[in-house]
Amino acid sequence: MAKSPQIAVDTDVYLTANYGDDWQSETTSITSSIYHGLIENGRRYQTLSDREYLIPSDDQAFESYEAGHLLALISETDEENPLFRAPVGKNPKHILDIGTGKADWAIDVADMFPSATVRGVDLFPPPVTWMPPNCILEVDNVLEEWTWKDAHDLIHMRIMIGSFDAAGWDHVYRSAFENLRPGGWIEQLEGCPYILCDDDSLPADSILRSWGPTMSGCGARAGLALDTIDTMCGAMEKAGFVDFQEKPYLWPIGPWARDQKLKEAGVINYHHWLSGMEGWCMWLLTHFGAPHPWSKDEVTVYLAKVRSEIKNPRYHLYQKARRVWARKPFPGELTPDRTPIKEA
């Protein structure tokens, strides 16, 4: 992706950014700016992309990313490989993690496959001080042209809801298709923003019932539809992928479930929501709230009410999630639009 600087996160930008000598490179200045980010409403946002991004890149956001990683692992504890479901075999060579966040997934996969090169890419440098030698973390914008030279065995995304508009998603899926080897896999795990309850434990007038519609309305006005859980299959198929498989999940919010696995998932998801909610909604509400953009104070009051209800142990809350994995056809095999795949 030549239009954006690729910067390894182990670069000591904090030291180099403090030097004002003539030899200081332009890249160092760019890197320093990327690390400092844009501060808005008390949260730090990325500055690499010229398009605003709704999720912050700060310590609280990284705490939420880590909880999301644990939640995904707990959901797959019955599997030999809890990190992904795509059948890439025992010796994949190149793996890409888009929206790597805190890079937990990329680091774990690099540990699992020490002979593979695992790349994690995001708009903000992950706060990582150590990583396996086969794990490469890059700051880059996947909406630009992809310039990685090696065909990938697996391209992975997780909890990317609201990251792109429809054209951006098409670009990412099309680029993923082009950058996979024939027979390579794409995999994506997404959650639904709606808080659900199947019994009468949650009152009909609960503010929690407003969360999903409120966020979805903001996303629609921002041009960032939050229904990725429902649209990713169709968008992948449009890009040419075949052999679709998927797995649905119910993620409790809180430890109310009787099943031990779901109870553990609920505890982690509870922390996921508490650490993540402000970051998920602050930008959306202060830019695209209805009937007018909200103030920071209005968002703070709203979140206090939402948190209070989420902490109520009598409410049996959950959200839906879905994992989808699909394959790039082999040469001669037809894509969904009946176009034969050419030899690489």
Side-chain angles (χ1 to χ4, degrees):
M1 288 173 275
K3 297 181 182 179
S4 302
Q6 293 187 349
I7 304 165
V9 300
D10 58 354
T11 302
D12 197 349
V13 297
Y14 289 107
L15 291 177
T16 57
N18 289 329
Y19 289 95
D21 298 334
D22 292 340
W23 52 263
Q24 183 180 24
S25 70
E26 181 182 354
T27 300
T28 300
S29 299
I30 294 172
T31 305
S32 177
S33 172
I34 290 171
Y35 265 91
H36 282 100
L38 169 68
I39 304 300
E40 180 179 295
N41 293 315
R43 303 302 298 267
R44 181 181 64 198
Y45 295 83
Q46 65 82 28
T47 58
L48 179 66
S49 171
D50 58 4
R51 181 184 65 82
E52 291 183 281
Y53 189 66
L54 67 91
I55 302 297
S57 299
D58 53 22
D59 290 344
Q60 188 172 341
F62 288 126
E63 180 182 344
S64 175
Y65 292 153
E66 187 164 24
H69 178 62
L70 293 175
L71 176 62
L73 291 180
I74 289 174
S75 300
E76 294 290 337
T77 52
D78 54 340
E79 297 292 331
E80 181 179 356
N81 173 9
L83 292 165
F84 60 87
R85 299 297 301 275
V88 300
K90 296 184 178 180
N91 295 295
K93 298 303 180 184
H94 297 281
I95 296 173
L96 176 64
D97 184 32
I98 298 174
T100 196
K102 198 177 178 182
D104 296 293
W105 187 91
I107 290 171
D108 284 353
V109 172
D111 279 335
M112 177 180 290
F113 300 108
S115 63
T117 298
V118 180
R119 295 180 184 273
V121 61
D122 213 323
L123 291 170
F124 193 87
V128 176
T129 57
W130 179 92
M131 68 193 82
N134 61 319
C135 184
I136 301 171
L137 303 182
E138 297 177 349
V139 178
D140 215 332
N141 185 356
V142 294
L143 292 182
E144 303 289 356
E145 179 185 358
W146 292 21
T147 56
W148 292 297
K149 299 185 182 302
D150 297 304
H152 294 87
D153 299 278
L154 172 65
I155 295 177
H156 172 264
M157 291 182 281
R158 183 176 65 194
I159 311 181
M160 296 282 287
I161 179 174
S163 295
F164 313 114
D165 59 17
W169 278 116
D170 284 345
H171 172 82
V172 170
Y173 291 128
R174 184 172 59 252
S175 298
F177 186 89
E178 294 170 353
N179 282 264
L180 282 166
R181 64 167 177 78
W185 292 82
I186 187 172
E187 180 163 326
Q188 186 167 359
L189 173 64
E190 295 294 340
C192 177
Y194 284 73
I195 297 176
L196 303 174
C197 178
D198 286 345
D199 57 26
D200 296 327
S201 63
L202 185 66
D205 61 351
S206 166
I207 197 169
L208 295 181
R209 296 188 183 275
S210 76
W211 174 271
T214 298
M215 295 303 105
S216 293
C218 289
R221 288 186 288 275
L224 302 170
L226 305 185
D227 58 351
T228 311
I229 187 175
D230 297 316
T231 61
M232 54 185 173
C233 272
M236 289 180 193
E237 186 175 28
K238 179 181 176 182
F241 288 98
V242 297
D243 197 9
F244 282 84
Q245 300 175 61
E246 66 177 80
K247 182 177 179 179
Y249 304 89
L250 297 180
W251 285 344
I253 306 173
W256 56 267
R258 293 182 180 179
D259 178 84
Q260 184 60 33
K261 177 180 173 180
L262 291 177
K263 184 182 293 291
E264 292 175 359
V267 171
I268 296 298
N269 202 22
Y270 171 82
H271 291 289
H272 186 219
W273 276 79
L274 290 185
S275 60
M277 280 191 304
E278 183 182 275
W280 301 339
C281 76
M282 181 63 77
W283 184 86
L284 282 172
L285 288 172
T286 55
H287 287 261
F288 296 97
H292 52 75
W294 296 19
S295 68
K296 179 184 177 182
D297 288 343
E298 288 176 313
V299 177
T300 300
V301 171
Y302 176 68
L303 282 172
K305 295 177 181 178
V306 172
R307 287 194 188 96
S308 177
E309 292 198 3
I310 278 185
K311 292 178 180 179
N312 190 325
R314 296 192 301 272
Y315 296 165
H316 300 160
L317 313 172
Y318 72 95
Q319 66 179 130
K320 292 182 179 180
R322 178 176 296 124
R323 184 189 303 269
V324 172
W325 58 105
R327 178 174 56 81
K328 178 176 180 176
F330 290 100
E333 190 176 0
L334 294 180
T335 64
D337 64 356
R338 311 298 294 174
T339 300
I341 295 295
K342 299 178 180 179
E343 293 283 354

